[in-house]
């Protein structure tokens, strides 16, 4: 008796943020800020078999691996299943990553969230979408791999994170948009999240700017304002490398102004009409010759079973 | 200088509910309960022109008319525009209704919500999605045309309304579902919402059942449980006419068990695989020879600009 279920969670790009990790309760830890979810994300396929002794097998893009965040989600789901059904299970979890890992696109959050949704269904846990997403949030916060991605990815769209916390605890609101544009993303790799989040001076700069910009965005919740505040954050926090600064400058020089840095990654994004998206790709590739470049769209559905 | 914008809001079917209209503040009035949004809804196209004296013209499906709820939304948006820009405007609002009006499909809520989103954009009010939806909620509650539709339609999906109120005030959670089924709807018309909501005996039955069933649904947030609790509510409240009862019975006799009554309308819905949807249509048409029958799907995006 094997039961299967498939989950998807969108990738997520943070434009600016404030770290809110003071509470002890992982459900209350999180971040304020703003960002958006993209149609490139993570697909997770789970197979669940009753057994005498629980086990978890994870593969990513076909390769067996020890993904800590997903592993933690699986452990939490198995605990709930044991409580509810008095039964242990063997879990096979296969993940397909459509986004670069560790480059600011919310890969670990998307992996965790698609896993929790799929396991909730396959293990018949009967959790709501928020409760199921809380497993993913707890796993992310525990491993310090993210703070605000899960609540944003659970909801989708272009979001403002008004109050920090897990889905059902934090508050989120959406910037209305027809989303009829492409999102071009470019990345040359990692910017160490854990290092940035634990450096007191960087934290101070980030938190002062992030807090102020959320208030400014709420006064005029438009895409124009989001982009302009994102650039302010990038400049005020000094998180951008010379490559990022040059790429943004090149895009602006060609008239593509709806661009900024992806937080936290050596990465950029640009909102552009579908017809100009190829052109924007070429500009980014020129500035990031060894980088990864891809074209996506805003995802305004959020995490879901597929 | 004419500015245009287009909004869409899904139709909404309530499965069960508890009336929570005690607070004086319209933003705190609402309902608890459960239901779902459908892809058939209301499209609203607005044209905005600066003028010396504000005016509002509304047409529905090509006919000029005096739609009170939409009119109230327009008035609230004009007030905000005057505050923000010091300018009055002529508004032309054209609405296309894809759902029957007054039959429990949330037509007035969808009309109000698509209008507030479109006007927020065209009048450059800079409101978030929730703030914009609050105009629609206030209009609905003021005219007693609905209590819980707007917060549900703003979010989309199969929802549980855990705490009453406008978007940003009430709490909502989602029943995870791949939504890979058709929703067949049938209606023979109105069930007077205002009359039901002001009859003390009916209110008591509704509220006792609604409150209890939300708690039961939260224990097992699945489509199966939603349908089973919906049928309980229909039977316990005595809101179903003989036609409704016969239609549900006929569907069940043919093996289509995922059906119940639409609250509040002389209407039914049935979740069924795409391939059997035509068959379900025929059964409903036979039970409701003078009714309207249509096939829709779950909308899990919610109100949006288009």
């Amino acid at each position: 008796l094997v039961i299967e279920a498939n989950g998807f969670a969108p990738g997520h790009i943070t434009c600016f943020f404030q770290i809110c990790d003071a509470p002890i309760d992982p459900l209350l830890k999180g971040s304020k800020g703003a960002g958006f979810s993209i149609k490139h994300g993570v697909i997770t396929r789970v197979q669940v078999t009753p057994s005498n002794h629980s086990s978890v097998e994870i593969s990513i893009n076909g390769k067996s691996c020890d993904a800590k965040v997903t592993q933690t989600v699986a452990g939490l789901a198995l605990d709930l299943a044991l409580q509810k059904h008095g039964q242990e299970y063997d879990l096979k979890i296969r993940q397909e990553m459509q986004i670069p890992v560790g480059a600011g696109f919310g890969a670990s959050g998307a992996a965790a969230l698609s896993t929790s949704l799929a396991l909730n269904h396959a293990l018949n846990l009967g959790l709501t979408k928020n409760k199921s997403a809380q497993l993913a949030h707890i796993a992310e916060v525990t491993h310090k791999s993210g703070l605000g991605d899960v609540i944003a990815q659970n909801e989708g769209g272009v979001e403002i994170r008004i109050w920090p916390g897990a889905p059902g605890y934090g508050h989120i609101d959406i910037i209305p948009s027809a989303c009829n544009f492409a999102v071009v993303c470019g990345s040359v790799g990692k910017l160490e999240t854990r290092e940035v989040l634990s450096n007191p001076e960087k934290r101070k700069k980030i938190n002062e700017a992030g807090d102020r910009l959320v208030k400014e965005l709420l006064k005029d919740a438009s895409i124009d304002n989001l982009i302009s505040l994102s650039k302010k954050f990038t400049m005020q926090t000094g998180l951008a490398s010379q490559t990022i600064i040059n790429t943004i400058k090149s895009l602006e020089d060609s008239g593509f102004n709806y661009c900024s840095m992806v937080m936290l990654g050596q990465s950029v994004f640009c909102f552009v009409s579908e017809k100009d998206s190829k052109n924007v790709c070429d500009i980014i590739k020129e500035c990031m010759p060894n980088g990864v470049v891809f074209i996506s769209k805003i995802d305004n559905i959020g995490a879901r079973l597929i």
Side-chain angles (χ1 to χ4, degrees), chain A:
Chain A
L1 181 75
V2 183
I3 295 168
E4 301 190 333
N6 304 319
F8 168 81
H12 179 255
I13 288 170
T14 293
C15 296
F16 55 83
F17 66 104
Q18 177 188 9
I19 304 159
C20 306
D21 57 1
I24 295 167
D25 185 346
L27 293 169
L28 301 182
K29 280 185 203 278
S31 66
K32 296 187 194 176
F36 53 89
S37 295
I38 56 174
K39 285 191 194 293
H40 284 62
V42 177
I43 294 173
T44 297
R45 302 175 198 283
V46 304
Q47 291 187 331
V48 162
T49 321
S51 83
N52 293 324
H53 188 70
S54 292
S55 71
V56 181
E57 248 184 76
I58 303 172
S59 72
I60 296 180
N61 293 344
K63 283 184 190 159
S64 163
C65 74
D66 166 40
K68 283 183 195 166
V69 180
T70 295
Q71 190 83 40
T72 299
V73 172
L76 292 168
L78 285 170
D79 289 349
L80 292 175
L82 186 60
Q83 279 170 36
K84 186 161 181 183
H85 309 304
Q87 172 70 55
E88 308 220 26
Y89 297 88
D90 292 328
L91 307 184
K92 279 195 187 162
I93 300 175
R94 288 176 299 139
Q95 304 194 301
E96 182 191 319
M97 300 288 210
Q98 304 165 333
I99 41 178
V101 175
F105 297 101
S108 65
L113 194 48
S114 52
T115 302
S116 65
L117 258 184
L119 287 178
N120 176 41
H121 195 70
L123 292 168
N124 195 20
L125 300 180
L127 302 177
T128 60
K129 188 173 170 183
N130 282 347
K131 293 268 175 205
S132 163
Q134 285 166 16
L135 308 187
H137 180 88
I138 289 171
E140 273 270 273
V141 164
T142 305
H143 292 286
K144 296 193 176 170
S145 50
L147 284 167
D149 283 334
V150 168
I151 190 171
Q153 291 165 319
N154 197 44
E155 182 79 17
V158 183
E159 101 284 346
I160 310 175
R161 280 167 283 124
I162 297 170
W163 193 255
Y169 287 79
H171 287 193
I172 216 167
D173 204 343
I174 297 294
I175 297 178
S177 157
C179 300
N180 49 359
F181 49 81
V183 182
V184 184
C185 303
S187 178
V188 286
K190 243 179 207 172
L191 200 155
E192 265 302 336
T193 305
R194 194 187 291 244
E195 189 267 322
V196 170
L197 297 187
S198 53
N199 176 320
E201 201 176 319
K202 283 186 186 160
R203 279 177 72 101
K204 192 161 174 256
K205 269 194 191 166
I206 288 170
N207 288 344
E208 280 173 5
D211 187 34
R212 198 174 58 248
L213 297 180
V214 167
K215 286 173 193 149
E216 283 196 39
L217 185 53
L218 284 170
K219 283 185 209 156
D220 175 17
S222 66
I223 300 284
D224 280 67
N225 198 26
L226 171 69
I227 296 293
S228 127
L229 299 176
S230 302
K231 287 182 183 173
K232 269 194 195 165
F233 185 82
T234 301
M235 294 312 147
Q236 287 172 3
T237 54
L239 288 165
S241 66
Q242 200 55 48
T243 305
I244 301 287
I245 293 170
N246 289 347
T247 310
I248 291 173
K249 181 83 173 45
S250 288
L251 288 167
E252 289 175 343
D253 286 349
S254 302
F256 300 115
N257 293 307
Y258 285 69
C259 58
S260 190
M261 179 178 165
V262 170
M263 300 293 163
L264 285 166
Q266 294 277 13
S267 313
V268 297
F269 71 89
C270 184
F271 291 171
V272 62
S273 67
E274 303 254 13
K275 76 169 171 42
D276 285 332
S277 58
K278 184 68 182 54
N279 200 347
V280 163
C281 271
D282 292 341
I283 295 169
I284 297 177
K285 274 180 195 159
E286 213 173 283
C287 299
M288 296 180 158
N290 300 315
V292 178
V293 183
F294 61 99
I295 303 176
S296 194
K297 301 262 294 176
I298 299 288
D299 177 289
N300 51 17
I301 301 177
R304 54 201 178 262
L305 291 169
I306 52 173

mmCIF file of all heavy atoms in Angstrom, chain A residues 215-253:
data_model
loop_
_atom_site.group_PDB
_atom_site.id
_atom_site.type_symbol
_atom_site.label_atom_id
_atom_site.label_comp_id
_atom_site.label_asym_id
_atom_site.label_seq_id
_atom_site.Cartn_x
_atom_site.Cartn_y
_atom_site.Cartn_z
ATOM 1 N N LYS A 215 7.213 50.548 6.054
ATOM 2 C CA LYS A 215 6.239 51.630 6.299
ATOM 3 C C LYS A 215 6.051 52.491 5.053
ATOM 4 O O LYS A 215 4.931 52.870 4.719
ATOM 5 C CB LYS A 215 6.706 52.496 7.475
ATOM 6 C CG LYS A 215 6.511 51.798 8.815
ATOM 7 C CD LYS A 215 7.145 52.591 9.955
ATOM 8 C CE LYS A 215 7.224 51.730 11.216
ATOM 9 N NZ LYS A 215 8.379 52.071 12.058
ATOM 10 N N GLU A 216 7.156 52.780 4.367
ATOM 11 C CA GLU A 216 7.045 53.599 3.146
ATOM 12 C C GLU A 216 6.278 52.872 2.046
ATOM 13 O O GLU A 216 5.528 53.492 1.293
ATOM 14 C CB GLU A 216 8.439 53.983 2.637
ATOM 15 C CG GLU A 216 9.053 55.110 3.453
ATOM 16 C CD GLU A 216 10.238 55.747 2.749
ATOM 17 O OE1 GLU A 216 10.195 55.916 1.507
ATOM 18 O OE2 GLU A 216 11.216 56.070 3.441
ATOM 19 N N LEU A 217 6.477 51.557 1.961
ATOM 20 C CA LEU A 217 5.785 50.789 0.921
ATOM 21 C C LEU A 217 4.279 50.734 1.191
ATOM 22 O O LEU A 217 3.470 50.801 0.259
ATOM 23 C CB LEU A 217 6.376 49.377 0.843
ATOM 24 C CG LEU A 217 5.852 48.468 -0.269
ATOM 25 C CD1 LEU A 217 5.967 49.132 -1.639
ATOM 26 C CD2 LEU A 217 6.585 47.134 -0.263
ATOM 27 N N LEU A 218 3.918 50.656 2.484
ATOM 28 C CA LEU A 218 2.485 50.592 2.820
ATOM 29 C C LEU A 218 1.756 51.891 2.470
ATOM 30 O O LEU A 218 0.557 51.893 2.232
ATOM 31 C CB LEU A 218 2.301 50.256 4.307
ATOM 32 C CG LEU A 218 2.558 48.789 4.662
ATOM 33 C CD1 LEU A 218 2.592 48.597 6.174
ATOM 34 C CD2 LEU A 218 1.492 47.884 4.039
ATOM 35 N N LYS A 219 2.490 52.992 2.423
ATOM 36 C CA LYS A 219 1.865 54.281 2.042
ATOM 37 C C LYS A 219 1.509 54.317 0.561
ATOM 38 O O LYS A 219 0.608 55.040 0.149
ATOM 39 C CB LYS A 219 2.829 55.431 2.346
ATOM 40 C CG LYS A 219 2.890 55.786 3.817
ATOM 41 C CD LYS A 219 3.774 57.021 4.003
ATOM 42 C CE LYS A 219 4.434 56.992 5.369
ATOM 43 N NZ LYS A 219 5.672 57.793 5.390
ATOM 44 N N ASP A 220 2.261 53.598 -0.253
ATOM 45 C CA ASP A 220 1.979 53.536 -1.689
ATOM 46 C C ASP A 220 2.360 52.140 -2.171
ATOM 47 O O ASP A 220 3.498 51.894 -2.578
ATOM 48 C CB ASP A 220 2.781 54.613 -2.437
ATOM 49 C CG ASP A 220 2.618 54.498 -3.943
ATOM 50 O OD1 ASP A 220 1.668 53.832 -4.396
ATOM 51 O OD2 ASP A 220 3.453 55.064 -4.684
ATOM 52 N N ALA A 221 1.388 51.228 -2.087
ATOM 53 C CA ALA A 221 1.650 49.813 -2.370
ATOM 54 C C ALA A 221 1.601 49.557 -3.874
ATOM 55 O O ALA A 221 0.660 48.950 -4.385
ATOM 56 C CB ALA A 221 0.642 48.937 -1.628
ATOM 57 N N SER A 222 2.625 50.026 -4.579
ATOM 58 C CA SER A 222 2.678 49.854 -6.032
ATOM 59 C C SER A 222 4.010 49.218 -6.423
ATOM 60 O O SER A 222 4.983 49.270 -5.670
ATOM 61 C CB SER A 222 2.539 51.208 -6.722
ATOM 62 O OG SER A 222 3.672 52.016 -6.421
ATOM 63 N N ILE A 223 4.038 48.621 -7.603
ATOM 64 C CA ILE A 223 5.269 47.999 -8.125
ATOM 65 C C ILE A 223 6.357 49.064 -8.281
ATOM 66 O O ILE A 223 7.524 48.827 -7.939
ATOM 67 C CB ILE A 223 4.984 47.306 -9.476
ATOM 68 C CG1 ILE A 223 3.933 46.207 -9.341
ATOM 69 C CG2 ILE A 223 6.277 46.774 -10.089
ATOM 70 C CD1 ILE A 223 4.395 44.934 -8.708
ATOM 71 N N ASP A 224 5.987 50.239 -8.765
ATOM 72 C CA ASP A 224 6.958 51.329 -8.917
ATOM 73 C C ASP A 224 7.665 51.637 -7.601
ATOM 74 O O ASP A 224 8.888 51.765 -7.542
ATOM 75 C CB ASP A 224 6.246 52.617 -9.379
ATOM 76 C CG ASP A 224 5.973 52.606 -10.865
ATOM 77 O OD1 ASP A 224 5.146 51.775 -11.280
ATOM 78 O OD2 ASP A 224 6.592 53.398 -11.588
ATOM 79 N N ASN A 225 6.865 51.763 -6.557
ATOM 80 C CA ASN A 225 7.424 52.090 -5.248
ATOM 81 C C ASN A 225 8.270 50.936 -4.710
ATOM 82 O O ASN A 225 9.339 51.161 -4.127
ATOM 83 C CB ASN A 225 6.288 52.438 -4.276
ATOM 84 C CG ASN A 225 6.774 53.188 -3.051
ATOM 85 O OD1 ASN A 225 7.802 53.875 -3.096
ATOM 86 N ND2 ASN A 225 6.072 53.057 -1.947
ATOM 87 N N LEU A 226 7.814 49.705 -4.926
ATOM 88 C CA LEU A 226 8.584 48.532 -4.480
ATOM 89 C C LEU A 226 10.000 48.562 -5.076
ATOM 90 O O LEU A 226 10.994 48.359 -4.369
ATOM 91 C CB LEU A 226 7.873 47.241 -4.895
ATOM 92 C CG LEU A 226 8.681 45.945 -4.679
ATOM 93 C CD1 LEU A 226 8.845 45.647 -3.193
ATOM 94 C CD2 LEU A 226 8.029 44.749 -5.391
ATOM 95 N N ILE A 227 10.081 48.812 -6.373
ATOM 96 C CA ILE A 227 11.386 48.795 -7.044
ATOM 97 C C ILE A 227 12.262 49.931 -6.519
ATOM 98 O O ILE A 227 13.448 49.737 -6.221
ATOM 99 C CB ILE A 227 11.206 48.920 -8.578
ATOM 100 C CG1 ILE A 227 10.455 47.705 -9.131
ATOM 101 C CG2 ILE A 227 12.562 49.114 -9.270
ATOM 102 C CD1 ILE A 227 11.209 46.393 -9.044
ATOM 103 N N SER A 228 11.666 51.096 -6.362
ATOM 104 C CA SER A 228 12.475 52.235 -5.916
ATOM 105 C C SER A 228 12.998 52.008 -4.485
ATOM 106 O O SER A 228 14.158 52.300 -4.183
ATOM 107 C CB SER A 228 11.657 53.526 -6.097
ATOM 108 O OG SER A 228 11.601 54.261 -4.929
ATOM 109 N N LEU A 229 12.155 51.425 -3.609
ATOM 110 C CA LEU A 229 12.605 51.141 -2.240
ATOM 111 C C LEU A 229 13.624 50.002 -2.205
ATOM 112 O O LEU A 229 14.539 50.003 -1.369
ATOM 113 C CB LEU A 229 11.398 50.817 -1.348
ATOM 114 C CG LEU A 229 10.353 51.934 -1.204
ATOM 115 C CD1 LEU A 229 9.165 51.452 -0.369
ATOM 116 C CD2 LEU A 229 10.952 53.188 -0.594
ATOM 117 N N SER A 230 13.488 49.050 -3.113
ATOM 118 C CA SER A 230 14.441 47.935 -3.183
ATOM 119 C C SER A 230 15.842 48.453 -3.503
ATOM 120 O O SER A 230 16.835 48.000 -2.935
ATOM 121 C CB SER A 230 14.023 46.944 -4.271
ATOM 122 O OG SER A 230 12.739 46.455 -4.013
ATOM 123 N N LYS A 231 15.909 49.397 -4.433
ATOM 124 C CA LYS A 231 17.212 49.981 -4.789
ATOM 125 C C LYS A 231 17.804 50.750 -3.616
ATOM 126 O O LYS A 231 19.004 50.673 -3.346
ATOM 127 C CB LYS A 231 17.059 50.894 -6.007
ATOM 128 C CG LYS A 231 16.850 50.119 -7.292
ATOM 129 C CD LYS A 231 16.750 51.035 -8.497
ATOM 130 C CE LYS A 231 16.473 50.214 -9.743
ATOM 131 N NZ LYS A 231 16.198 51.049 -10.913
ATOM 132 N N LYS A 232 16.935 51.492 -2.903
ATOM 133 C CA LYS A 232 17.405 52.208 -1.707
ATOM 134 C C LYS A 232 18.023 51.240 -0.714
ATOM 135 O O LYS A 232 19.093 51.481 -0.161
ATOM 136 C CB LYS A 232 16.218 52.909 -1.011
ATOM 137 C CG LYS A 232 15.971 54.314 -1.476
ATOM 138 C CD LYS A 232 15.018 55.030 -0.496
ATOM 139 C CE LYS A 232 14.486 56.295 -1.141
ATOM 140 N NZ LYS A 232 13.331 56.839 -0.427
ATOM 141 N N PHE A 233 17.319 50.116 -0.462
ATOM 142 C CA PHE A 233 17.803 49.124 0.507
ATOM 143 C C PHE A 233 19.156 48.571 0.073
ATOM 144 O O PHE A 233 20.085 48.465 0.883
ATOM 145 C CB PHE A 233 16.776 47.992 0.634
ATOM 146 C CG PHE A 233 17.105 46.972 1.696
ATOM 147 C CD1 PHE A 233 16.791 47.202 3.029
ATOM 148 C CD2 PHE A 233 17.710 45.767 1.364
ATOM 149 C CE1 PHE A 233 17.080 46.258 4.015
ATOM 150 C CE2 PHE A 233 17.995 44.811 2.339
ATOM 151 C CZ PHE A 233 17.687 45.062 3.662
ATOM 152 N N THR A 234 19.247 48.241 -1.210
ATOM 153 C CA THR A 234 20.504 47.692 -1.753
ATOM 154 C C THR A 234 21.659 48.656 -1.506
ATOM 155 O O THR A 234 22.753 48.249 -1.076
ATOM 156 C CB THR A 234 20.343 47.413 -3.266
ATOM 157 O OG1 THR A 234 19.275 46.489 -3.441
ATOM 158 C CG2 THR A 234 21.611 46.842 -3.870
ATOM 159 N N MET A 235 21.420 49.940 -1.750
ATOM 160 C CA MET A 235 22.495 50.927 -1.605
ATOM 161 C C MET A 235 22.792 51.206 -0.120
ATOM 162 O O MET A 235 23.944 51.259 0.288
ATOM 163 C CB MET A 235 22.131 52.227 -2.335
ATOM 164 C CG MET A 235 22.042 52.038 -3.855
ATOM 165 S SD MET A 235 23.499 51.130 -4.528
ATOM 166 C CE MET A 235 22.777 50.212 -5.874
ATOM 167 N N GLN A 236 21.706 51.354 0.685
ATOM 168 C CA GLN A 236 21.909 51.738 2.090
ATOM 169 C C GLN A 236 22.566 50.644 2.934
ATOM 170 O O GLN A 236 23.266 50.941 3.900
ATOM 171 C CB GLN A 236 20.562 52.139 2.720
ATOM 172 C CG GLN A 236 20.077 53.493 2.219
ATOM 173 C CD GLN A 236 18.669 53.820 2.687
ATOM 174 O OE1 GLN A 236 18.057 53.063 3.441
ATOM 175 N NE2 GLN A 236 18.147 54.956 2.242
ATOM 176 N N THR A 237 22.357 49.383 2.571
ATOM 177 C CA THR A 237 22.900 48.297 3.400
ATOM 178 C C THR A 237 24.296 47.871 2.959
ATOM 179 O O THR A 237 24.972 47.146 3.675
ATOM 180 C CB THR A 237 21.990 47.049 3.353
ATOM 181 O OG1 THR A 237 21.809 46.697 1.981
ATOM 182 C CG2 THR A 237 20.650 47.338 3.996
ATOM 183 N N GLY A 238 24.701 48.298 1.777
ATOM 184 C CA GLY A 238 26.028 47.919 1.288
ATOM 185 C C GLY A 238 26.195 46.426 1.059
ATOM 186 O O GLY A 238 27.303 45.892 1.144
ATOM 187 N N LEU A 239 25.088 45.733 0.745
ATOM 188 C CA LEU A 239 25.182 44.277 0.547
ATOM 189 C C LEU A 239 25.586 43.905 -0.877
ATOM 190 O O LEU A 239 25.944 42.761 -1.149
ATOM 191 C CB LEU A 239 23.833 43.622 0.886
ATOM 192 C CG LEU A 239 23.461 43.577 2.378
ATOM 193 C CD1 LEU A 239 21.987 43.261 2.568
ATOM 194 C CD2 LEU A 239 24.300 42.518 3.108
ATOM 195 N N ALA A 240 25.520 44.864 -1.794
ATOM 196 C CA ALA A 240 25.775 44.543 -3.206
ATOM 197 C C ALA A 240 27.265 44.515 -3.525
ATOM 198 O O ALA A 240 28.006 45.418 -3.139
ATOM 199 C CB ALA A 240 25.072 45.560 -4.099
ATOM 200 N N SER A 241 27.683 43.487 -4.237
ATOM 201 C CA SER A 241 29.059 43.411 -4.744
ATOM 202 C C SER A 241 29.169 44.308 -5.978
ATOM 203 O O SER A 241 28.171 44.804 -6.506
ATOM 204 C CB SER A 241 29.374 41.973 -5.144
ATOM 205 O OG SER A 241 28.550 41.618 -6.241
ATOM 206 N N GLN A 242 30.406 44.481 -6.463
ATOM 207 C CA GLN A 242 30.598 45.315 -7.649
ATOM 208 C C GLN A 242 29.887 44.710 -8.860
ATOM 209 O O GLN A 242 29.317 45.445 -9.671
ATOM 210 C CB GLN A 242 32.110 45.470 -7.922
ATOM 211 C CG GLN A 242 32.428 46.671 -8.800
ATOM 212 C CD GLN A 242 31.870 47.980 -8.233
ATOM 213 O OE1 GLN A 242 32.026 48.295 -7.068
ATOM 214 N NE2 GLN A 242 31.160 48.739 -9.075
ATOM 215 N N THR A 243 29.874 43.385 -8.964
ATOM 216 C CA THR A 243 29.180 42.724 -10.090
ATOM 217 C C THR A 243 27.687 43.072 -10.080
ATOM 218 O O THR A 243 27.106 43.383 -11.129
ATOM 219 C CB THR A 243 29.336 41.179 -9.979
ATOM 220 O OG1 THR A 243 30.726 40.878 -9.890
ATOM 221 C CG2 THR A 243 28.720 40.480 -11.164
ATOM 222 N N ILE A 244 27.074 43.012 -8.905
ATOM 223 C CA ILE A 244 25.640 43.346 -8.786
ATOM 224 C C ILE A 244 25.408 44.806 -9.190
ATOM 225 O O ILE A 244 24.507 45.109 -9.985
ATOM 226 C CB ILE A 244 25.157 43.154 -7.320
ATOM 227 C CG1 ILE A 244 25.362 41.719 -6.838
ATOM 228 C CG2 ILE A 244 23.713 43.596 -7.159
ATOM 229 C CD1 ILE A 244 24.435 40.716 -7.417
ATOM 230 N N ILE A 245 26.246 45.693 -8.654
ATOM 231 C CA ILE A 245 26.095 47.127 -8.948
ATOM 232 C C ILE A 245 26.244 47.383 -10.442
ATOM 233 O O ILE A 245 25.433 48.100 -11.047
ATOM 234 C CB ILE A 245 27.120 47.959 -8.130
ATOM 235 C CG1 ILE A 245 26.770 47.867 -6.623
ATOM 236 C CG2 ILE A 245 27.138 49.417 -8.579
ATOM 237 C CD1 ILE A 245 27.837 48.439 -5.707
ATOM 238 N N ASN A 246 27.232 46.737 -11.053
ATOM 239 C CA ASN A 246 27.442 46.916 -12.502
ATOM 240 C C ASN A 246 26.267 46.389 -13.316
ATOM 241 O O ASN A 246 25.868 47.002 -14.316
ATOM 242 C CB ASN A 246 28.707 46.171 -12.954
ATOM 243 C CG ASN A 246 29.965 46.847 -12.438
ATOM 244 O OD1 ASN A 246 29.926 47.985 -11.955
ATOM 245 N ND2 ASN A 246 31.093 46.150 -12.514
ATOM 246 N N THR A 247 25.720 45.263 -12.903
ATOM 247 C CA THR A 247 24.604 44.672 -13.654
ATOM 248 C C THR A 247 23.379 45.587 -13.592
ATOM 249 O O THR A 247 22.740 45.849 -14.622
ATOM 250 C CB THR A 247 24.239 43.271 -13.088
ATOM 251 O OG1 THR A 247 25.429 42.496 -12.978
ATOM 252 C CG2 THR A 247 23.247 42.569 -13.975
ATOM 253 N N ILE A 248 23.075 46.078 -12.406
ATOM 254 C CA ILE A 248 21.923 46.979 -12.253
ATOM 255 C C ILE A 248 22.137 48.251 -13.092
ATOM 256 O O ILE A 248 21.233 48.713 -13.794
ATOM 257 C CB ILE A 248 21.692 47.317 -10.757
ATOM 258 C CG1 ILE A 248 21.210 46.051 -10.013
ATOM 259 C CG2 ILE A 248 20.693 48.455 -10.590
ATOM 260 C CD1 ILE A 248 21.104 46.202 -8.507
ATOM 261 N N LYS A 249 23.364 48.772 -13.056
ATOM 262 C CA LYS A 249 23.705 49.975 -13.842
ATOM 263 C C LYS A 249 23.519 49.717 -15.345
ATOM 264 O O LYS A 249 22.930 50.550 -16.056
ATOM 265 C CB LYS A 249 25.160 50.353 -13.518
ATOM 266 C CG LYS A 249 25.723 51.585 -14.196
ATOM 267 C CD LYS A 249 25.325 52.849 -13.460
ATOM 268 C CE LYS A 249 26.015 54.092 -14.031
ATOM 269 N NZ LYS A 249 26.024 54.191 -15.493
ATOM 270 N N SER A 250 23.997 48.577 -15.829
ATOM 271 C CA SER A 250 23.868 48.244 -17.258
ATOM 272 C C SER A 250 22.405 48.142 -17.671
ATOM 273 O O SER A 250 22.018 48.604 -18.752
ATOM 274 C CB SER A 250 24.536 46.900 -17.563
ATOM 275 O OG SER A 250 25.915 47.032 -17.498
ATOM 276 N N LEU A 251 21.581 47.514 -16.813
ATOM 277 C CA LEU A 251 20.152 47.388 -17.116
ATOM 278 C C LEU A 251 19.509 48.770 -17.192
ATOM 279 O O LEU A 251 18.772 49.084 -18.137
ATOM 280 C CB LEU A 251 19.459 46.521 -16.052
ATOM 281 C CG LEU A 251 19.775 45.019 -16.120
ATOM 282 C CD1 LEU A 251 19.321 44.303 -14.859
ATOM 283 C CD2 LEU A 251 19.107 44.390 -17.345
ATOM 284 N N GLU A 252 19.824 49.616 -16.215
ATOM 285 C CA GLU A 252 19.254 50.976 -16.203
ATOM 286 C C GLU A 252 19.704 51.773 -17.427
ATOM 287 O O GLU A 252 18.913 52.503 -18.018
ATOM 288 C CB GLU A 252 19.668 51.696 -14.912
ATOM 289 C CG GLU A 252 18.955 51.137 -13.685
ATOM 290 C CD GLU A 252 19.449 51.767 -12.373
ATOM 291 O OE1 GLU A 252 20.545 52.379 -12.369
ATOM 292 O OE2 GLU A 252 18.732 51.644 -11.367
ATOM 293 N N ASP A 253 20.961 51.636 -17.787
ATOM 294 C CA ASP A 253 21.483 52.363 -18.954
ATOM 295 C C ASP A 253 20.755 51.980 -20.238
ATOM 296 O O ASP A 253 20.672 52.768 -21.172
ATOM 297 C CB ASP A 253 22.991 52.099 -19.122
ATOM 298 C CG ASP A 253 23.812 52.846 -18.069
ATOM 299 O OD1 ASP A 253 23.232 53.708 -17.370
ATOM 300 O OD2 ASP A 253 25.015 52.557 -17.927
#
